[in-house]
């Protein structure tokens, strides 16, 4: 698993499913160099100067969008933020038409977040620009998976052989899907925990250990990852109340103590304090939640560079 | 005019015939079928030398087709749909009522028949709605529609909404011995699902339609068929559980019949990921199920639990498919690929013989709908399908006679195709790639 | 595969360059070395060691990765990506005399990128350039202040610098390449 590729195949990043372990390592290694840029007085490099990157977001998002925007600006790209309310899509333009109209300004990359699984695949097939998936429906959120892995690797030195517990709404979480694909590719032992109503089928087939007992998942874990419970899920009748969810599955200090003493606690954000995670845990010493945000910029810079910053093999010295 | 089809293998299970025969057609009727037709009878007939590589059988009847007219003519019309039908070897189709307006009354029924008559290709048997607007509340005017020409009733596109409505429909249509065709889907279980609930849909983040959504309704309809004595026909069966229920229901004496589509016995949900992930031409309802469901369908085809192969031909405009998977319309076309898929994947695969194939595509659907056909003995209407079972076929969506191109089979190479189609003795389709029938002139 | 500099020659060149640096800058006050990755880095370290011997003073030493500043990255991606490594300059470069160190000076584009990178870190008082080999064929108006060896070459040749720390041996080698660059 220590093999590293020299480039990414393809012009898009649509999901962890399409990445080999060697490519994942390339992204993570490049992200380390990118993280150093953030520590400079001038937090900018000219790598994507003159290239246009469009952030095309069909779902509202402050966190992911600003992270991408900072990453793009630090690489000196020209950024364009387009937020499209889903209702205007319903009224008129198709997804393909919207994207192809934007191609008129010849973007190098379009960073796309959309409510339908597979939307980015459709755009990748029909657009010349490279497509970076910033979250499609309940399918994948690959840059989140990558920054989570980066954070674990930064704190633990490696991914292989670690026990990692992921707890929450597994069925609807694109972060979950990206993470289990990535962590199993890099050789971690992944435990997935949630209520049976929110457990997707076939997890064992992916090499993941499913359980409905959070204690079993967390025991001896090196990292615990909490997923957001979307409040709308309660209307779907998946579990009776937030109070009950917290009692059965919430990450409390007692449950954190079941993990290894130096275990880290993660959350992709935004958090529902008192639902999936107790405040003392979110703010406690084991929490690396803010590091995840910092690392998100570095990882996204790495992805953008590897997709759009290409060059000849050997430059004249 | 007289036509003498010479030297082909005639497969007519309803007459117990499977062998090389000559077939004499006189006008719109079969005059004689025999190993040698007397010269006097054949005098003046146009002779068509078919030869033993071709198969002559009673015309195929597709009892589940969406012709889209009135209301959705940009997807298909009666004219283009029946042209697709005869190119696919079908001499008759039964069309579903989810048009706009819904075919829940005699005037829409008569309009459809008028269009069919003008197109003058395949016979069209309209299926009327079970309820007004297919809204699932009040029974539609079944007797009136029957008078106008409907042969069965369905709210297809939707399930027959309540057990009470299904019971009433079975009783009422039972008065005329007509079947109620149900699209079995419990909406509360199916939810907003777009693909079969299972490993592959979960991997792709697609909401799932569980097998249970189909199974609970199939079981409901069999219980009601037994209770009322009425005839329930299960449309586009797709799950192993449903096959088992139908098999058991028949054994218990229920008047239940069922159909499967070619895409359900050929494809499974793993196709959602390869070769083309999120291909909207794999989105239909009921969805492609798991491999074990497909195996159960094939077993049912072989052991007689499944009565009919019907395509659920669902033409859509490209605009309705070239969108995100969630938003794409459900359904694919099927008229022009059914025969090749069936010959390649069932007959040549050794699962069934040609006799059973003809039962599934002609004898049984004609009987279930109570329409003429399913047999080519002397005196029968000359609706004939001529097959070329060893013809090498490459599916080309661009060449479809249907207005629509939404098929997942484009580019597939299959063994077996249609040589010619005759309706009432008249050739309405001749395959230019089959030399023996290229002489058929269209009259 | 002619060896144009052997271990001895490399060593003597670096010693001479170190003395030249001290002479030209009248000592090593406010001086700092920055090696351009990859092979400029060990050369800079060696120079720092020699300067310590000569002057008894510790000269600060950093490593600069210029991948993100290259001007050939603007073309569309064809071959493998240049791997980005970390820049490590653990001191302020403001008001310092920075001595950039690289192994081969050729078209000058690497040094141009290095100058851009350095300016983003601060405002040095002066920037000087050490190269082990100058092979000519400049495409930009860049010149080295200290040169180990001037090596006239043809464009069809490549110059390979090998160093003990990376390649296990110190030598400079010229190779003729068939059909273009290596």
């Amino acid at each position: 698993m220590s093999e590293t590729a020299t480039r990414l195949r393809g012009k898009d990043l649509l999901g962890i499913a399409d990445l080999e372990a060697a490519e994942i390592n390339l992204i993570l290694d490049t992200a380390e160099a990118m993280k150093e840029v953030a520590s400079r007085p001038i937090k900018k490099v000219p790598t994507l100067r003159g290239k246009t990157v469009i952030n095309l977001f069909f779902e509202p998002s402050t966190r992911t969008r600003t992270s991408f925007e900072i990453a793009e600006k630090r690489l000196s790209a020209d950024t364009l933020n387009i937020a499209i309310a889903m209702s205007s899509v319903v009224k008129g333009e198709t997804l393909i038409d919207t994207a192809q109209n934007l191609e008129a300004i010849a973007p190098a990359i379009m960073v796309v977040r959309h409510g339908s699984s597979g939307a980015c695949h459709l755009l990748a097939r029909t657009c010349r620009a490279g497509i970076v998936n910033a979250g499609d429906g309940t399918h994948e959120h690959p840059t989140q998976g990558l920054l989570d892995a980066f954070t674990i690797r930064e704190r633990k030195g490696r991914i292989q052989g670690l026990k990692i517990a992921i707890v929450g709404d597994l069925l609807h979480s694109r972060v979950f899907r990206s993470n289990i694909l990535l962590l199993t590719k890099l050789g971690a032992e992944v435990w997935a925990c949630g209520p049976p109503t929110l457990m997707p089928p076939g997890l064992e087939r992916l090499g993941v250990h499913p359980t409905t007992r959070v204690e079993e998942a967390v025991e001896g874990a090196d990292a615990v990852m909490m997923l957001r419970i979307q409040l709308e899920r309660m209307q779907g009748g998946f579990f009776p109340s937030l109070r009950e969810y917290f009692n059965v599955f919430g990450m409390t200090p007692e449950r954190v103590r079941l993990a290894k003493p130096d275990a880290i606690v993660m959350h992709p954000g935004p958090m529902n304090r008192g639902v999936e995670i107790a405040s003392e845990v979110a703010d406690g010493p084991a929490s690396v939640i803010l590091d995840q945000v910092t690392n998100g910029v570095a990882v996204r810079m790495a992805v953008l560079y590897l997709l759009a910053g290409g060059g000849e093999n050997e430059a004249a010295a | 005019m007289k036509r003498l089809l010479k030297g082909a293998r005639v497969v007519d299970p309803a007459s117990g015939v499977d062998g090389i025969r000559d077939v004499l057609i006189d006008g719109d009727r079969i005059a004689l079928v025999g190993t040698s037709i007397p010269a006097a009878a054949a005098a003046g007939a146009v002779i068509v030398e078919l030869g033993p590589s071709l198969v002559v059988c009673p015309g195929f009847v597709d009892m589940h087709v969406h012709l889209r007219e009135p209301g959705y003519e940009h997807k298909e019309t009666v004219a283009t749909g029946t042209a697709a039908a005869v190119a696919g070897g079908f001499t008759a189709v039964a069309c579903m009522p989810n048009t706009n307006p819904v075919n829940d009354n005699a005037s829409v029924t008569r309009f459809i028949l008028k269009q069919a008559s003008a197109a003058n290709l395949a016979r069209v048997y309209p299926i009327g709605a079970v309820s007004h607007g297919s809204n699932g509340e009040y029974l539609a005017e079944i007797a009136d529609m029957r008078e106008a020409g409907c042969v069965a009733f369905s709210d297809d596109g939707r399930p027959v909404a309540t057990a009470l409505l299904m019971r009433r429909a079975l009783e009422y249509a039972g008065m005329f011995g007509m079947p109620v065709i149900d699209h079995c889907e419990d909406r509360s279980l199916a939810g907003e699902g777009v693909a079969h609930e299972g490993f592959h849909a979960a991997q792709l983040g697609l909401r799932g339609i569980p097998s249970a959504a189909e199974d609970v309704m199939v079981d409901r309809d069999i219980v009601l068929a037994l209770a009322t004595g009425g005839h329930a026909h299960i449309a586009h069966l797709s799950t192993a559980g449903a096959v088992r229920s139908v098999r058991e229901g028949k054994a218990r004496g229920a008047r239940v019949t069922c159909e499967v589509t070619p895409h359900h016995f050929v494809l499974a949900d793993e196709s959602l990921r390869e070769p083309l992930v999120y291909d909207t031409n794999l989105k239909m309802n009921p969805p492609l199920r798991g491999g074990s469901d497909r195996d159960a369908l094939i077993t049912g085809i072989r052991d007689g639990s499944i009565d009919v192969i019907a395509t659920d031909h669902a033409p859509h405009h490209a605009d309705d498919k070239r969108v995100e998977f969630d938003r794409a319309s459900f359904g694919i076309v099927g008229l022009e690929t059914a025969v090749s898929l069936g010959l390649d994947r069932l007959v040549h695969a050794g699962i069934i013989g040609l006799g059973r194939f003809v039962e599934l595509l002609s004898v049984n659907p004609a009987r279930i709908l109570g329409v003429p056909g399913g047999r080519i003995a002397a005196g029968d209407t000359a609706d004939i399908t001529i097959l070329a079972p060893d013809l090498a076929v490459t599916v080309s969506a661009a060449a479809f006679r249907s207005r629509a191109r939404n098929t997942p089979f484009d580019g597939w190479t299959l063994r077996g195709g249609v040589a010619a189609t005759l309706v009432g003795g008249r050739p309405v389709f001749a395959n230019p790639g089959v030399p023996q029938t290229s002489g058929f002139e269209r009259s | 595969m002619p060896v144009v500099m052997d271990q001895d020659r490399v060593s003597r060149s670096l010693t001479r360059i170190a003395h030249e640096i001290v002479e030209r800058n009248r000592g090593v006050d406010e001086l700092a070395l920055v090696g351009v990755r990859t092979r400029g880095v060990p050369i800079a370290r060696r120079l720092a060691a020699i300067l310590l011997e000569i002057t008894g003073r510790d000269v600060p030493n950093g490593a600069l990765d210029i991948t993100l500043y290259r001007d050939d990255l603007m073309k569309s991606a064809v071959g493998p990506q240049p791997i980005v490594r970390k820049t490590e300059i653990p001191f302020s470069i403001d008001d310092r005399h920075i001595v950039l160190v690289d192994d081969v000076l050729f078209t000058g584009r690497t040094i141009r990128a290095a100058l851009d990178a350095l300016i983003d870190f601060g405002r040095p008082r002066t920037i000087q350039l050490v190269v082990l080999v100058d092979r000519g064929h400049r495409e930009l108006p860049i010149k080295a202040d200290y040169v180990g060896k001037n090596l006239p070459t043809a464009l069809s040749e490549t110059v390979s610098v090998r160093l003990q720390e990376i390649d296990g041996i110190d030598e400079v080698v010229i190779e003729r390449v068939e059909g273009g660059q290596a």
Side-chain angles (χ1 to χ4, degrees):
Chain A
M1 299 290 173
S2 54
E3 199 193 296
T4 303
T6 50
R7 68 185 187 106
L8 298 180
R9 298 164 294 152
K11 66 173 174 72
D12 316 290
L13 177 64
L14 302 176
I16 303 296
D18 310 310
L19 290 178
E20 295 170 351
E23 291 172 299
I24 295 171
N25 285 328
L26 172 63
I27 296 172
L28 297 181
D29 289 348
T30 307
E32 274 188 43
M34 295 298 182
K35 191 166 177 178
E36 178 269 313
V37 174
S39 62
R40 300 181 187 181
I42 296 187
K43 300 175 189 353
K44 219 180 201 7
V45 289
T47 319
L48 292 189
R49 193 169 60 91
K51 299 207 172 167
T52 304
V53 178
I54 299 181
N55 297 324
L56 183 55
F57 276 57
F58 292 85
E59 277 183 336
S61 158
T62 318
R63 180 180 306 257
T64 303
R65 211 211 66 225
T66 49
S67 181
F68 268 106
E69 196 179 337
I70 296 174
E72 291 148 17
K73 289 188 152 110
R74 289 204 175 148
L75 292 171
S76 299
D78 294 325
T79 66
L80 198 57
N81 288 315
I82 303 195
I84 300 191
M86 280 305 286
S87 58
S88 58
V89 171
V90 168
K91 278 187 199 121
E93 258 192 337
T94 64
L95 175 61
I96 292 179
D97 280 343
T98 303
Q100 288 188 329
N101 279 324
L102 291 172
E103 290 231 286
I105 46 179
I109 290 192
M110 289 200 272
V111 176
V112 181
R113 168 172 284 198
H114 195 283
S116 284
S117 301
C120 295
H121 286 72
L122 185 60
L123 290 180
R125 287 200 270 269
T126 50
C127 294
R128 277 186 310 271
I131 305 293
V132 173
N133 182 359
D136 65 327
T138 57
H139 174 230
E140 280 217 47
H141 191 356
T143 56
Q144 181 72 41
L146 287 162
L147 76 88
D148 288 340
F150 184 88
T151 306
I152 296 172
R153 200 174 83 158
E154 190 180 45
R155 285 300 191 111
K156 299 287 172 180
R158 70 187 200 288
I159 304 249
Q160 180 159 23
L162 296 183
K163 176 177 177 184
I164 302 177
I166 309 182
V167 185
D169 177 356
L170 311 177
L171 182 62
H172 300 103
S173 170
R174 52 194 174 206
V175 173
F176 172 67
R177 223 171 310 283
S178 290
N179 265 303
I180 56 173
L181 289 173
L182 195 154
L183 295 171
T184 51
K185 275 184 193 188
L186 296 185
E189 178 192 329
V190 180
W191 285 72
C193 175
T197 48
L198 292 176
M199 189 78 81
L203 286 177
E204 298 92 334
R205 218 164 131 175
L206 295 172
V208 172
H209 306 267
T211 174
T212 54
R213 291 187 50 245
V214 67
E215 292 79 11
E216 189 184 357
V218 170
E219 185 176 351
D222 297 282
V224 176
M225 196 183 296
M226 306 309 297
L227 298 176
R228 201 171 81 83
I229 291 294
Q230 291 158 313
L231 302 185
E232 318 83 80
R233 296 299 160 220
M234 241 174 50
Q235 271 108 27
F238 291 96
F239 52 85
S241 69
L242 297 179
R243 190 180 79 105
E244 177 142 314
Y245 182 85
F246 181 73
N247 288 341
V248 181
F249 297 99
M251 196 45 52
T252 59
E254 296 73 37
R255 289 185 175 135
V256 172
R257 276 197 278 280
L258 294 170
K260 287 213 177 97
D262 61 347
I264 53 175
V265 175
M266 306 170 67
H267 193 301
M271 290 186 283
N272 292 315
R273 290 167 180 267
V275 178
E276 65 262 6
I277 187 168
S279 275
E280 311 102 284
V281 175
D283 303 325
S287 164
V288 299
I289 295 174
L290 294 175
D291 290 346
Q292 286 173 274
V293 177
T294 308
N295 293 335
V297 177
V299 163
R300 287 168 177 134
M301 285 173 73
V303 167
L304 291 166
Y305 164 71
L306 289 168
L307 289 178
E312 253 80 78
N313 183 8
E314 186 46 65
Chain B
M1 92 173 269
K2 287 189 199 173
R3 240 183 266 267
L4 180 62
L5 310 179
K6 284 198 66 142
R9 175 181 169 192
V10 171
V11 176
D12 183 12
S15 309
V17 171
D18 184 348
I20 307 293
R21 302 280 189 280
D22 294 342
V23 178
L24 179 66
I25 302 170
D26 191 350
D28 67 346
R29 302 264 137 197
I30 309 280
L32 279 172
V33 176
T35 42
S36 67
I37 308 283
V46 171
I47 299 188
V48 187
E49 295 281 357
L50 295 178
S53 68
L54 299 186
V55 171
V56 169
C57 40
F60 292 169
V61 177
D62 189 342
M63 62 178 284
H64 192 143
V65 168
H66 295 270
L67 292 179
R68 303 297 189 207
E69 193 178 4
Y72 303 108
E73 291 82 358
H74 61 294
K75 302 187 191 216
E76 190 86 286
T77 62
V78 174
T80 59
T82 50
V86 298
F90 293 96
T91 55
V93 299
C95 60
M96 284 296 180
N98 58 338
T99 47
N100 185 15
V102 169
N103 182 13
D104 62 3
N105 63 78
S107 20
V108 178
T109 303
R110 277 193 275 268
F111 170 76
I112 293 171
L113 288 170
K114 184 168 82 80
Q115 298 299 85
S117 176
N120 201 19
L121 294 167
R123 297 183 201 278
V124 174
Y125 298 113
I127 296 170
V130 166
S131 59
H132 279 285
S134 286
N135 284 327
E137 289 182 61
Y138 309 108
L139 272 185
E141 292 181 305
I142 285 177
D144 210 32
M145 285 190 277
R146 171 178 173 270
E147 192 106 0
C150 282
V151 299
F153 301 94
S154 178
D155 277 341
D156 186 60
R158 302 175 192 169
V160 177
T162 61
L164 179 61
L165 183 63
M166 186 66 181
R167 174 190 177 169
R168 296 279 178 252
L170 284 168
E171 289 168 335
Y172 198 81
M175 184 165 58
F176 305 107
M178 298 169 85
V180 177
I181 302 176
D182 199 10
H183 162 116
C184 288
E185 180 191 2
D186 181 300
R187 284 293 169 88
S188 71
L189 285 175
E192 287 170 350
V194 296
H196 172 61
E197 183 181 276
F199 176 74
H200 296 289
Q203 284 300 94
L204 295 178
L206 295 174
R207 279 174 300 236
I209 301 173
S211 292
E214 179 166 326
D215 296 347
V216 299
M217 293 291 257
V218 171
D219 287 351
R220 176 196 85 169
D221 290 349
I222 292 173
V223 164
L224 292 172
L226 274 168
T228 60
H231 178 176
H233 178 86
I234 312 295
H236 44 51
L237 203 85
S238 73
T239 70
V243 178
R244 188 176 49 240
S245 290
V246 168
R247 186 182 291 125
E248 287 166 2
K250 284 178 175 176
R252 287 163 56 209
R255 285 186 65 207
V256 60
T257 53
C258 67
E259 69 195 33
V260 291
T261 67
H263 51 270
H264 282 111
F265 65 72
V266 173
L267 298 170
D269 62 347
E270 72 214 352
S271 297
L272 285 172
R273 300 174 69 195
E274 289 185 317
L276 184 64
V277 70
Y278 294 110
D279 183 1
T280 53
N281 282 329
L282 295 172
K283 180 179 180 182
M284 72 283 291
N285 195 5
L288 297 177
R289 301 281 185 192
S292 54
D293 296 298
R294 176 182 47 189
D295 294 342
L297 295 181
I298 290 182
T299 304
I301 285 171
R302 195 176 41 220
D303 73 12
S305 306
I306 290 171
D307 306 278
V308 170
I309 292 173
T311 63
D312 194 4
H313 176 86
H316 285 295
H317 192 278
D319 288 348
D320 297 321
K321 285 292 200 178
R322 207 167 169 248
V323 291
E324 309 87 286
F325 200 91
D326 282 347
R327 296 186 68 201
S329 296
F330 286 97
I332 59 170
V333 290
L335 283 169
E336 296 173 85
T337 48
V339 165
S340 293
L341 288 168
L343 286 171
D344 189 291
R345 296 303 165 103
L346 295 175
V347 177
H348 290 305
I351 293 168
I352 56 174
L354 274 171
R356 174 78 183 129
F357 190 61
V358 172
E359 282 175 10
L360 289 161
L361 280 161
S362 182
V363 179
N364 292 348
R367 188 192 73 233
I368 288 170
L369 294 177
V371 300
R375 193 182 64 187
I376 40 175
D380 288 332
T381 309
D383 285 354
I384 293 175
T385 300
I386 304 179
L387 301 174
D390 293 306
L391 181 67
V393 167
T394 302
V395 176
S396 165
F400 280 174
R401 283 150 180 82
S402 166
R403 198 158 255 192
R405 305 271 171 273
N406 50 320
T407 176
F409 303 112
D410 196 22
W412 280 43
T413 50
L414 299 165
R415 186 173 154 217
V418 176
T421 310
L422 288 81
V423 173
R426 190 170 51 95
V428 289
F429 171 73
N431 189 335
V434 177
Q436 298 95 308
T437 58
S438 56
F440 275 132
E441 72 293 277
R442 282 203 50 191
S443 44
Chain C
M1 233 177 38
V3 176
V4 294
M5 288 177 85
D6 62 11
Q7 173 157 3
D8 229 9
R9 185 70 203 271
V10 169
S11 169
R12 280 187 274 124
S13 295
L14 291 182
T15 304
R16 169 181 49 83
I17 288 172
H19 281 279
E20 284 177 0
I21 291 173
V22 174
E23 191 184 300
R24 191 168 321 180
N25 290 284
R26 292 181 245 256
V28 294
D29 283 345
E30 309 298 342
L31 207 77
L33 295 162
V34 174
V36 177
R37 285 201 193 274
T38 309
R39 286 182 175 72
V41 176
I43 297 176
R45 280 202 209 107
R46 290 197 208 178
L47 282 175
I50 302 173
L51 287 171
L52 177 60
E53 258 180 60
I54 302 176
T55 68
R57 299 271 298 280
D58 252 320
V59 179
N61 207 339
L64 183 66
D65 186 287
I66 54 105
T67 315
L68 298 175
Y69 288 84
R70 290 167 60 156
D71 61 6
D72 58 344
L73 293 181
M74 297 309 159
K75 303 183 196 139
S76 51
V78 166
Q81 217 79 354
I83 307 289
V84 186
R85 296 210 169 73
K86 273 202 226 189
T87 288
E88 291 165 66
I89 302 186
F91 49 85
S92 166
I93 67 170
D94 287 339
D95 278 333
R96 278 199 192 265
H97 301 286
I98 298 295
V99 178
L100 269 181
V101 182
D102 203 4
D103 57 340
V104 178
L105 178 58
F106 184 19
T107 61
R109 292 189 187 274
T110 298
I111 300 304
R112 183 216 60 78
L115 292 175
D116 271 359
L118 271 184
I119 302 294
D120 276 353
F121 275 88
R123 193 177 186 283
R125 195 172 318 160
T126 65
I127 301 178
Q128 300 161 47
L129 175 62
V130 168
V131 294
L132 188 60
V133 171
D134 180 344
R135 67 169 287 197
H137 300 287
R138 212 78 74 240
E139 291 174 6
L140 299 174
I142 304 256
K143 85 170 194 353
D145 299 288
Y146 313 93
V147 181
K149 181 172 175 59
N150 277 297
L151 209 57
T153 58
L155 281 173
S156 59
E157 294 169 320
T158 59
V159 173
S160 300
V161 170
R162 297 188 187 129
L163 299 173
Q164 185 77 30
E165 296 89 329
I166 296 174
D167 312 286
I169 181 177
D170 282 351
E171 65 180 9
V172 179
V173 157
I174 291 188
E175 284 157 321
R176 159 151 291 129
V177 180
E178 302 309 309
Q181 259 105 315

